[in-house]
């Protein structure tokens, strides 16, 4: 029996595939390679270049492989892009989920672990945010992920589909040996951009807004290491395999860092000066997003190994130094 990883050639998906292979599990990868990299997936792992919205192609994958559980990373995830092009998000993310579930149910595959997001909470009333907080997204990315959660809830009611939604906060870092890492066609995320500045590939980092309602005025996020995230997915798969009910968990470190603190941590981690400037706010950004991850720790027994951002940034720095042009250098 194999675990199907959708979006397994992407940043988080490739770390998940690595972790599953390390665990000795059978893995099958589906990715449309629009933002993922073939080189991020080991040669000996069955790989299908398929878009999840293409039901016929996906159906053939389920026919060819002996799949018993699914991990779903294949979605668009850039907040600013979603503000400019919301329909892309509803098509790819929400539409993709409907197509995927139809094919899964046709093949009697009923366990899915899915990437949700802190962006479903919008501007939270409290930080750290518990899973029970109201979900009121303030950007189409968060809205599309919330729709995906709702679709799964009703699919459980109607068809007995069992799901775990893992609500990620800000994922960063790379496998410690620097063999796989973060490489997006257009980089918008804070840590990789800061490291491009550290490398000398960009002149400076623009910090988006210093007038947020936080202690230093810069907005605050909760950074979690990608390998810790992969561990949580393994635990979630096993949780479902044991017959437990559908559930949702926040995955974060429970500690918030402002953009300015992240730049400072990156200066320490890399030893580089990293020039920074304050720019205007970016659309769709809430002040502060920090996870309460007690539930994942208690119910899934999740114990993140990386609990400080400097170490997280160091692992990303190893990847960036080894692969300054991402997978092109691999
Ligand atoms: N950010 C920034 N400059 C950049 C990129 C991001 O100041 O060049 C800020 C952004 O406003 C947010 C934080 O860094 O507060 C994390 O943004 P990212 O895009 O990495 O993740 P998101 O929170 O959107 O998922």
């Amino acid at each position: 029996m194999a675990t199907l990883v959708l979006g397994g050639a992407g940043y988080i998906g490739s770390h998940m595939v690595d972790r599953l292979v390390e665990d000795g599990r059978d893995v099958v990868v589906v990715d449309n390679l629009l933002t993922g990299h073939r080189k991020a997936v080991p040669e000996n792992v069955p790989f299908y270049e398929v878009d999840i919205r293409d039901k016929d192609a996906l159906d053939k994958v389920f026919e060819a492989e002996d799949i018993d559980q699914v991990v779903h990373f294949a979605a668009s995830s850039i907040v600013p892009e979603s503000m400019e092009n919301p329909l892309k998000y509803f098509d790819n993310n929400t539409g993709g989920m409907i197509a995927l579930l139809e094919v899964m149910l046709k093949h009697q595959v009923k366990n899915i672990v899915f990437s949700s997001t802190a962006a479903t909470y919008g501007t939270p009333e409290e930080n750290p945010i518990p899973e029970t907080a109201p979900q009121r997204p303030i950007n189409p990315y968060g809205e599309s992920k919330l729709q995906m959660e709702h679709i799964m809830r009703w699919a459980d009611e109607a068809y007995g589909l069992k799901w775990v939604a893992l609500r990620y906060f800000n994922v960063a870092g790379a496998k410690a040996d620097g063999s796989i890492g973060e490489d997006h066609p257009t980089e918008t995320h804070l840590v990789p951009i800061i490291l491009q500045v550290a490398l000398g590939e960009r002149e400076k980092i623009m910090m988006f807004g210093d007038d947020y309602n936080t202690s230093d005025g810069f907005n605050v996020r909760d950074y979690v290491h990608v390998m810790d995230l992969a561990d949580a997915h393994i635990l979630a798969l096993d949780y479902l395999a044991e017959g437990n009910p559908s559930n949702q968990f926040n995955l974060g470190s429970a500690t918030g860092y402002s953009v300015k603190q992240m730049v400072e941590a990156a200066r320490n981690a890399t030893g580089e000066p990293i020039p920074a400037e304050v720019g205007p706010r970016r659309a769709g950004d809430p002040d502060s997003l920090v996870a309460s991850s007690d539930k994942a720790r208690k119910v899934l027994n999740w114990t993140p190994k990386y609990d400080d951002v400097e170490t997280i940034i160091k692992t990303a720095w190893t990847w960036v130094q080894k692969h300054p042009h991402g997978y092109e250098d691999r």
Side-chain angles (χ1 to χ4, degrees), residues 229-307:
L229 211 72
D231 283 348
H233 287 73
I234 301 257
L235 294 168
L237 285 169
D238 292 348
Y239 166 92
L240 288 179
E242 284 158 15
N244 288 301
S246 299
N247 216 331
Q248 55 277 313
F249 301 95
N250 288 339
L251 296 181
S253 68
T255 313
Y257 290 86
S258 75
V259 173
K260 195 172 171 208
Q261 287 172 323
M262 288 301 284
V263 173
E264 208 43 63
R267 287 178 182 141
N268 293 336
T270 63
E272 297 294 332
I274 313 184
E277 212 173 86
V278 177
R281 284 183 178 211
R282 190 177 70 174
D285 267 345
D287 298 308
S288 187
L289 289 173
V290 180
S292 161
S293 53
D294 292 352
K295 186 175 167 190
R297 288 166 202 260
K298 264 189 217 127
V299 179
L300 296 179
N301 259 324
W302 183 52
T303 324
K305 296 184 186 77
Y306 295 85
D307 57 2

Side-chain angles (χ1 to χ4, degrees), residues 79-80 170 188-191 193 205-208 219-221 223 259 282 285:
V79 170
N170 287 60
T188 62
H189 292 111
L190 183 64
V191 170
I193 291 181
I205 173 82
M206 191 64 83
M207 300 187 290
F208 298 143
N219 56 13
V220 168
R221 297 286 179 273
Y223 295 84
V259 173
R282 190 177 70 174
D285 267 345

Side-chain angles (χ1 to χ4, degrees), residues 16-92:
M16 179 65 186
V17 170
D18 184 86
R19 183 69 182 72
L20 286 162
V21 169
E22 206 170 79
D23 232 33
R25 304 192 191 203
D26 285 335
V27 187
V28 175
V29 171
V30 161
D31 198 297
N32 64 9
L33 294 182
L34 286 183
T35 56
H37 306 270
R38 181 63 188 87
K39 287 181 186 167
V41 180
E43 283 291 335
N44 59 350
V45 168
F47 181 90
Y48 295 86
E49 188 175 340
V50 162
D51 189 299
I52 59 162
R53 290 164 296 180
D54 182 348
K55 276 200 281 182
D56 291 339
L58 200 55
D59 190 49
K60 291 199 176 87
V61 177
F62 276 80
E63 254 154 38
E65 304 285 348
D66 193 12
I67 293 159
D68 70 334
Q69 48 185 9
V70 171
V71 197
H72 178 23
F73 299 97
S76 307
S77 62
I78 311 288
V79 170
E81 183 193 45
S82 81
M83 296 294 282
E84 279 161 28
N85 193 359
L87 295 184
K88 173 177 172 181
Y89 280 67
F90 298 123
D91 177 24
N92 196 24

Side-chain angles (χ1 to χ4, degrees), residues 200-236:
E201 302 254 317
R202 280 183 195 238
E203 201 187 316
K204 60 183 177 224
I205 173 82
M206 191 64 83
M207 300 187 290
F208 298 143
D210 62 353
D211 57 351
Y212 282 96
N213 187 20
T214 59
S215 56
D216 65 5
F218 293 88
N219 56 13
V220 168
R221 297 286 179 273
D222 177 338
Y223 295 84
V224 56
H225 194 274
V226 65
M227 269 342 245
D228 282 333
L229 211 72
D231 283 348
H233 287 73
I234 301 257
L235 294 168

